[in-house]
Every structure is written in C-alpha cells, then in structure tokens.
Amino acid sequence: MLSEFLDTSDEWITTRTGIKTRHIITEERFEDLATEAAARAIESAGLCPDDIDYIICSNVSNLYVTPHLSSIIMGNLGMKGPLCPTMDVNVACLGFVQGLDLGDALLATGRAHNILLVAAEECTRFCDWTDRNCSVLFGDGAGAVVLTKGDNLIARKFTTTPMTDVIVYKNPMEATPFESGEGIDTHSPLVMKGREVFRMAVTSAARDIAQVTASAGLTLDDIDHFLLHQANLRINEAIRENLRQPEAKFPTNVQRFGNTSSASIPLLLDEGVHEKRIKRGDKILMSAFGAGFVSGIAILEY
Ligand code: COA
C-alpha cells in the first residue's frame, strides 16, 4: 500500500526497520482509543473509574492542545467531577516510563493511591505522508496501567541532551496583526534525522542500562524482561547484542505496530501479561528514548 504513493518498498522497510504492519487511525476517534485502553486497565485492576485518584496521560500527538487528553479520558470514563487531578506529560516516546516515575513519587508520598497512567498516540496524523523517511515508521496505539502501592520502581535514570533538532514537529500558530507574517516560525511537519536518532538511542541505552541495573544491586542476569521502546528492530538488536542477554528476554512488536511512540512499552507489557510470559515478582527493565533528545530507564518489580 505504501509503495503505491511513496518511493519505497516492503523490502526496504523490512530490512531497515523490521516493520511489516502498523495500525492507522481512520474513522475512529483517537480519544476513544485512549479511553478504551484506560477502561480495560481499570477493569484488570479490579477497580472502577471512581477509585482512580490521579490521571496521568503521556501524549505527543493529539488534535487537542487544550483541553488536555487526561481530562477528556476522565469524562469519557463517565467520571463526574470535581474529582482528582489530571495531567498530560509530553516527553516524546519516553512519556510512559517518565509517567511511571512520576506515579512512583506520588505513591511514595501518599498523594495518590490508584493512579491511572495512559499512553496514547496518533503518530500517523503528524507524519508528512509524502516523506518516506518518517511516514513508514509510525503507527497509532494506546496502552494504560493502574499503579498502586507495591508497584514501586527499584531504580531509574532519566537524562536529556538538548539536541532539539533531531526530531521536530511544530504546531500551526497564528500570526498576530503586529508582524508582517514573513518568516514566522510556525507549523512544520515531522522532520527527523534518522541516523542521528539511531546512534543516540543505542549509545544512551548502552551507557545507562548496565549502570541502572547495578545501582539496584542487580546484575543483567537478574532482569527477567527488557521492554525496549519499539522504534526499529535494528536499534533493539544492537542494544541486546551490547548487553549479551538472551533474545527471549527482549519481546518485540514493532513488526506489527510500527513505532507507536510512548504507547509502545505499555503495549509490550500488556502482551506479556496476557500471554503469561510476565508474572508477578518478575523484574522488568524498561528503556526508551525520543525527541529532546531524552533517554530513560526504569526497573520495576511487577
Ligand atoms: N524507502 C526507501 N528508501 C528510503 C526510505 C524508504 N521509506 N527512507 C529512506 N530511504 C533512503 C534514503 O533516502 C537513503 O537514500 P540515499 O542513500 O540515496 O541517500 C537510504 O534509504 C538510506 O537512508 P538512511 O537514513 O541511511 O537509512 P538507515 O539505515 O539509517 O534507516 C531509519 C533509516 C529512519 C529507518 C533509521 O535511521 C532509524 O530507524 N532511525 C531511528 C528513527 C527513530 O527511531 N525515530 C523515532 C524516535 S522515537
């Protein structure tokens, strides 16, 4: 389908990225996708929406700049305010892992007890579909979890390297009557320096994963599952080879979903739990990277 309107091929996409299929929003409403993930997570936790006392939503790409998506999800869940705080975070593809850290801090201080963390992305609507460098890589998706005390992080590390030109997308803005309108730095479709991102992703993971594991008093052999951000199979292969850990510990789904930004790790987690590969007590290391350039790692005992 893509090669009908882009100068690309299944062979190029498969060998360079591992991606075979991706899901693209068409007639559906994005907020319904996010709400469905949230509702399923709440049900799996044996709770009802009114038990939730904090909602965090990780989101990069969304029609609404305001109101924020977590308030829309709250309403769609049938929760009638005034209720708990809602907050969106935008830390690119790292948003879910960063949201876990935020949730962990809220639980630790007793400020919240049942936190709904949703990661929902419609990346395909911010791609320039005439640009083969970006559009073949992305898919849409949503994942969610409920965090309660006991789901604490064992260790984490988050870093930002201010290289703001490696992945850029600018929203449309209006020109004010007080300027000529010429040269206004407004909307630009997604532009990405793919090779640079590839290099940064592998380097930051290689630098930090072993270090964070050691800081938790663990070895890499103690980690049961490495849930890596799903952007490119070759990136994940390079990280795995660097860590010299068995392939079975590195589940992948980028082949089926493409890069769903911050939704990719909760999608992996959900598949692992439902297929009973991930069990209570397992140690899970999550590692993600994205525009900024940001990189983050968190270890969780499930
Ligand atoms: N189909 C066919 N050819 C394509 C193409 C496509 N969809 N996209 C790019 N090409 C071409 C390029 O134009 C280039 O041609 P040239 O050699 O004539 O200049 C050639 O393929 C190689 O491009 P290059 O960028 O060197 O390929 P690559 O092996 O680095 O793979 C990415 C490109 C984007 C797949 C890879 O760099 C990547 O995955 N980077 C990380 C991106 C990412 O993760 N982004 C999201 C961050 S959350």
Side-chain angles (χ1 to χ4, degrees), residues 8 12 16 93 132-133 167 192 194-195 231-232 234 259:
T8 190
W12 191 96
R16 300 282 178 138
C93 306
R132 65 179 185 173
N133 287 302
I167 309 173
M192 183 179 71
R195 283 184 154 190
N232 184 324
R234 283 162 55 218
N259 181 348

Side-chain angles (χ1 to χ4, degrees), residues 112-148:
H113 300 91
N114 295 314
I115 302 169
L116 174 65
L117 172 61
V118 187
E121 305 284 7
E122 54 180 339
C123 311
T124 64
R125 285 225 162 99
F126 75 5
C127 288
D128 173 359
W129 281 93
T130 62
D131 176 7
R132 65 179 185 173
N133 287 302
C134 294
S135 53
V136 304
L137 305 175
F138 292 96
D140 301 323
V145 294
V146 174
L147 305 172
T148 58

Side-chain angles (χ1 to χ4, degrees), residues 58-113:
S58 160
N59 175 254
V60 183
S61 48
N62 171 20
L63 177 65
Y64 291 95
V65 173
T66 196
H68 54 302
L69 193 57
S70 39
S71 67
I72 297 174
I73 294 170
M74 178 190 243
N76 287 355
L77 286 170
M79 297 168 74
K80 300 215 177 356
L83 280 171
C84 63
T86 56
M87 174 204 291
D88 283 11
V89 294
N90 173 356
V91 205
C93 306
L94 181 59
F96 178 77
V97 186
Q98 191 91 59
L100 283 180
D101 189 42
L102 192 57
D104 184 60
L106 290 166
L107 290 174
T109 53
R111 301 262 306 278
H113 300 91

Side-chain angles (χ1 to χ4, degrees), residues 212-235:
V212 175
T213 308
S215 77
L218 301 170
T219 67
L220 293 173
D221 293 341
D222 295 323
I223 304 293
D224 299 295
H225 313 276
F226 293 87
L227 304 189
L228 307 183
H229 172 45
Q230 302 286 296
N232 184 324
L233 212 50
R234 283 162 55 218
I235 293 178

Side-chain angles (χ1 to χ4, degrees), residues 53 159 211 233 290 299:
D53 56 12
T159 60
Q211 187 204 325
L233 212 50
I299 302 177

Side-chain angles (χ1 to χ4, degrees), residues 76-291:
N76 287 355
L77 286 170
M79 297 168 74
K80 300 215 177 356
L83 280 171
C84 63
T86 56
M87 174 204 291
D88 283 11
V89 294
N90 173 356
V91 205
C93 306
L94 181 59
F96 178 77
V97 186
Q98 191 91 59
L100 283 180
D101 189 42
L102 192 57
D104 184 60
L106 290 166
L107 290 174
T109 53
R111 301 262 306 278
H113 300 91
N114 295 314
I115 302 169
L116 174 65
L117 172 61
V118 187
E121 305 284 7
E122 54 180 339
C123 311
T124 64
R125 285 225 162 99
F126 75 5
C127 288
D128 173 359
W129 281 93
T130 62
D131 176 7
R132 65 179 185 173
N133 287 302
C134 294
S135 53
V136 304
L137 305 175
F138 292 96
D140 301 323
V145 294
V146 174
L147 305 172
T148 58
K149 202 147 180 104
D151 292 332
N152 299 21
L153 299 186
I154 303 172
R156 83 278 284 155
K157 179 173 180 182
F158 295 94
T159 60
T160 302
T161 309
M163 290 179 63
T164 49
D165 62 345
V166 288
I167 309 173
V168 184
Y169 174 90
K170 290 178 185 165
N171 272 322
M173 298 290 273
E174 307 291 340
T176 68
F178 312 108
E179 57 200 330
S180 70
E182 276 171 34
I184 302 172
D185 196 12
T186 58
H187 172 72
S188 76
L190 185 69
V191 283
M192 183 179 71
K193 296 182 180 169
R195 283 184 154 190
E196 191 79 346
V197 176
F198 194 116
R199 190 182 61 75
M200 300 274 291
V202 175
T203 311
S204 56
R207 184 191 63 212
D208 292 337
I209 289 181
Q211 187 204 325
V212 175
T213 308
S215 77
L218 301 170
T219 67
L220 293 173
D221 293 341
D222 295 323
I223 304 293
D224 299 295
H225 313 276
F226 293 87
L227 304 189
L228 307 183
H229 172 45
Q230 302 286 296
N232 184 324
L233 212 50
R234 283 162 55 218
I235 293 178
N236 295 3
E237 278 299 310
I239 295 172
R240 186 180 71 75
E241 275 169 24
N242 186 282
L243 298 174
R244 296 194 179 85
Q245 286 288 303
E247 210 174 328
K249 286 187 176 186
F250 292 76
T252 57
N253 61 22
V254 68
Q255 302 92 325
R256 284 173 289 129
F257 299 141
N259 181 348
T260 56
S261 188
S262 70
S264 89
I265 288 184
L267 289 175
L268 268 184
L269 179 65
D270 184 62
E271 288 187 324
V273 170
H274 279 100
E275 290 164 13
K276 300 194 172 15
R277 280 182 282 106
I278 296 178
K279 296 179 283 301
R280 286 284 168 199
D282 283 359
K283 292 189 181 59
I284 302 172
L285 183 145
M286 302 179 191
S287 170
F289 61 89

